[in-house]
Amino acid sequence: MLFYARFWLILLLTVATGSCGAKIGHKEQDNSPMVTPISGWNGDEQDMARVPRSASEQPIGPSAQSTHATDVACDEEQLAHSRAMDDFLPALNRESELGRMENPLDEKPPSRTYLFLCELQKFLSDILPQKEGPAPQRGANAVSLDALHSLPPLSLGVSSTVSLLSGLVNSSTPTVFVFPERQQGLQTHRVEVTLDSPLLSVLRMRLDEAMAQVKQQEVGQKVIDRLQKLSELSALSPDGEDDEAVDKNRKEAQYRSILLLKALQVVLLTWEVERAQRAARADEDGSSVPSQCRLQSLTVSLRKFLLEPSTANINNCEGVCGFPLTNANNHAILLNSHIQSGQPVNRSLCCVPVDFDDLCVIELESEGTNIFFKTNVVATKCECR
């Protein structure tokens, strides 16, 4: 539609300019100097001189009257043409804007990766709020994700190392996703990864297992529909074709499959933490004896724009360090013996974390994907120290 509007505008300008130009050209032709022979010469064409016509020699009749009429007609036509353009150009602009909204001929359809990332963000926001465990205390300060110590970022793409790709596929490290402030920033997001056949087989297996575990839960039809879309958008094509376009699509599909696996692991880990929290509350309600040093769930808030999930379970160590010590080193055993003998000390044994997991941060940007590992975030083991 926009093409035809521009075509008619050019045609209208061409016709109007040609009409006015033709009349002006006729006027100039009538006013051209007359060629007359000079007296005393034989009148040959070589000896003829140009002298301007006198007033008496000017042509009379229609030719003479057309000069003034042409000026008036051309001025009126230019004025009418200008007014027509004043009305036509705004209409053309409105039609152009409407054409871009209704039928954007110049825009390419969104890529499968862009559609996948939009669905992934909606999937996480739909399923993660459905937590039954205790949320972080209201009013608690959220810690900026950028304030945590991190290893140097790693770029996820065709140049990614085998160790990075293998770690993403084989591990279940706690993970959070960081999406850009505007979804439009992901329209140019295109990332490819290359997995060897053994690692690709592991990815397929782990992805199928995670999908089956999520579908076993009562998550609602809306979540199941989103999960089906994500599965279709990240479907891994079979190997064996050498076409360049097919190979590019296959590499992008492998990238999307890795992101889907990590997202499903986030959901499954969240549910596992919720079950552990319910079990711990049940044990506390049914026993009056102080618990020994052990790992307890602790959820904290994180702050960064469009962070999914916006919380992290970092765990904590709670309980008493009493005799007999089953989870302590030699220093703690000797210190506890000293305390039990009644000798004064400035501190008692404490239940503290001794092993940690990193927090994997997958940051999605318009130019690509960066992987950050925030070190020593999630406590995994407690001992008395």
Side-chain angles (χ1 to χ4, degrees):
M1 183 182 296
L2 182 59
F3 172 80
Y4 290 113
R6 291 174 177 168
F7 171 78
W8 285 113
L9 173 60
I10 296 173
L11 182 61
L12 181 59
L13 291 171
T14 304
V15 172
T17 306
S19 174
C20 182
K23 294 180 181 179
I24 295 174
H26 176 69
K27 174 182 175 181
E28 292 176 353
Q29 182 178 357
D30 290 341
N31 291 332
S32 60
M34 178 185 293
V35 180
T36 56
I38 300 178
S39 176
W41 293 87
N42 58 7
D44 292 340
E45 292 181 0
Q46 296 89 341
D47 300 324
M48 301 187 64
R50 294 183 177 270
V51 295
R53 294 180 178 178
S54 63
S56 61
E57 293 176 333
Q58 294 292 337
I60 60 175
S63 298
Q65 296 174 357
S66 64
T67 302
H68 178 68
T70 301
D71 292 337
V72 175
C74 189
D75 291 342
E76 291 179 351
E77 185 172 347
Q78 288 178 341
L79 180 60
H81 177 261
S82 177
R83 290 174 178 173
M85 289 298 100
D86 291 340
D87 295 335
F88 181 74
L89 289 177
L92 177 62
N93 291 333
R94 289 193 298 271
E95 186 175 354
S96 300
E97 294 296 331
L98 183 61
R100 277 194 289 269
M101 290 187 292
E102 294 181 351
N103 187 22
L105 298 177
D106 297 334
E107 295 182 2
K108 295 181 179 180
S111 66
R112 292 178 67 87
T113 298
Y114 172 70
L115 296 175
F116 169 84
L117 292 177
C118 292
E119 286 294 327
L120 184 68
Q121 183 180 352
K122 294 175 184 177
F123 170 74
L124 291 174
S125 62
D126 285 345
I127 199 169
L128 290 178
Q130 302 176 7
K131 297 193 292 289
E132 299 177 2
Q137 293 183 357
R138 189 177 301 274
N141 292 330
V143 179
S144 172
L145 199 61
D146 296 331
L148 302 179
H149 297 292
S150 174
L151 296 176
L154 301 173
S155 178
L156 185 58
V158 291
S159 60
S160 297
T161 62
V162 176
S163 60
L164 173 61
L165 296 175
S166 178
L168 291 174
V169 172
N170 289 297
S171 71
S172 299
T173 303
T175 303
V176 294
F177 287 83
V178 179
F179 292 89
E181 183 175 354
R182 296 173 60 87
Q183 279 191 344
Q184 288 77 1
L186 295 174
Q187 290 181 346
T188 58
H189 184 96
R190 307 292 288 270
V191 177
E192 303 174 18
V193 297
T194 304
L195 304 180
D196 55 26
S197 295
L199 189 57
L200 187 58
S201 299
V202 174
L203 174 60
R204 285 194 176 99
M205 180 187 66
R206 292 178 64 86
L207 195 54
D208 291 341
E209 292 176 351
M211 292 274 286
Q213 293 179 31
V214 172
K215 290 181 179 180
Q216 289 176 357
Q217 306 297 320
E218 297 180 359
V219 294
Q221 189 60 41
K222 181 180 180 181
V223 172
I224 295 297
D225 292 341
R226 290 205 186 280
L227 193 57
Q228 182 62 31
K229 290 181 181 178
L230 290 171
S231 178
E232 294 172 355
L233 290 171
S234 60
L236 294 169
S237 58
D239 298 331
E241 299 188 36
D242 297 330
D243 183 80
E244 182 177 353
V246 173
D247 185 61
K248 180 180 179 67
N249 293 333
R250 184 188 300 116
K251 293 178 180 179
E252 289 188 8
Q254 293 177 6
Y255 163 71
R256 295 191 292 268
S257 296
I258 291 177
L259 295 187
L260 180 55
L261 174 62
K262 304 311 293 182
L264 295 177
Q265 289 176 348
V266 168
V267 173
L268 293 173
L269 181 60
T270 300
W271 291 342
E272 181 181 348
V273 169
E274 292 172 359
R275 289 191 293 269
Q277 289 174 342
R278 289 193 294 267
R281 289 195 301 269
D283 291 342
E284 292 175 358
D285 294 339
S287 176
S288 58
V289 179
S291 61
Q292 293 291 321
C293 177
R294 64 177 182 176
L295 195 67
Q296 300 278 7
S297 175
L298 177 63
T299 301
V300 297
S301 296
L302 300 175
R303 185 177 71 250
K304 194 174 180 72
F305 195 86
L306 285 184
L307 185 66
E308 295 290 352
S310 59
T311 60
N313 182 68
I314 64 171
N315 295 328
N316 193 27
C317 295
E318 298 179 1
V320 297
C321 292
F323 184 84
L325 292 178
T326 58
N327 52 352
N329 58 14
N330 288 334
H331 177 271
I333 293 174
L334 293 173
L335 180 61
N336 183 63
S337 176
H338 186 77
I339 295 173
Q340 294 294 329
S341 65
Q343 300 296 324
V345 291
N346 292 328
R347 75 170 184 90
S348 60
L349 288 176
C350 297
C351 180
V352 295
V354 292
D355 285 337
F356 300 88
D357 272 345
D358 298 338
L359 177 67
C360 177
V361 180
I362 301 178
E363 188 164 345
L364 304 167
E365 300 176 344
S366 58
E367 298 82 9
T369 300
N370 290 322
I371 308 294
F372 297 85
F373 288 99
K374 305 294 183 178
T375 56
N376 300 332
V377 171
V378 183
T380 60
K381 184 180 179 181
C382 298
E383 288 188 2
C384 291
R385 291 288 188 268

